[in-house]
Amino acid sequence: MLINSFIYSSSVSKRKEGSIESQIFRLTNRITKLTYHFKKHNKDYSSQRGLWKILSRRKRLLTYLYNTNSLSYQDLIAQLGIRRLKKD
């Protein structure tokens, strides 16, 4: 989680706050926080539903970024250390 905050602090000056990249970064931080939460509270089903919603929102934003700017998509995937989207 410290790695993500370092990446965010170094890239804030380059990107706007409401850009697709910053939205994906914030969603990724929330996902990591929730996964740590589930290690203690594995039967918290209402939070699991929230996690699924966050994951689907991030997936939609990643798909949009891939379709519009694939270079930025590749850089963001490498910085955040998340997997690529599945290609159908």
Side-chain angles (χ1 to χ4, degrees):
M1 197 134 81
L2 295 173
I3 295 170
N4 286 343
S5 62
F6 174 72
I7 292 170
Y8 183 69
S9 64
S10 66
S11 63
V12 160
S13 60
K14 296 184 224 174
R15 298 183 182 133
K16 295 181 182 177
E17 279 294 313
S19 68
I20 300 296
E21 292 90 353
S22 64
Q23 289 179 36
I24 292 171
F25 171 78
R26 281 194 216 109
L27 291 174
T28 304
N29 273 347
R30 287 176 64 190
I31 289 167
T32 54
K33 287 179 185 178
L34 279 173
T35 53
Y36 286 126
H37 170 77
F38 289 134
K39 289 184 180 179
K40 287 185 179 180
H41 311 283
N42 55 355
K43 293 189 178 184
D44 189 0
Y45 299 116
S46 58
S47 293
Q48 283 181 5
R49 182 173 184 266
L51 176 65
W52 294 334
K53 290 174 80 170
I54 293 170
L55 285 169
S56 64
R57 186 181 310 156
R58 184 179 75 172
K59 183 179 176 183
R60 286 192 306 264
L61 287 172
L62 283 170
T63 304
Y64 174 77
L65 186 63
Y66 179 77
N67 290 334
T68 57
N69 189 357
S70 62
L71 285 176
S72 178
Y73 168 79
Q74 294 293 334
D75 291 339
L76 188 66
I77 293 295
Q79 280 183 347
L80 294 178
I82 55 179
R83 292 183 291 176
R84 295 186 340 213
L85 293 172
K86 293 181 182 178
K87 296 178 183 173
D88 296 333

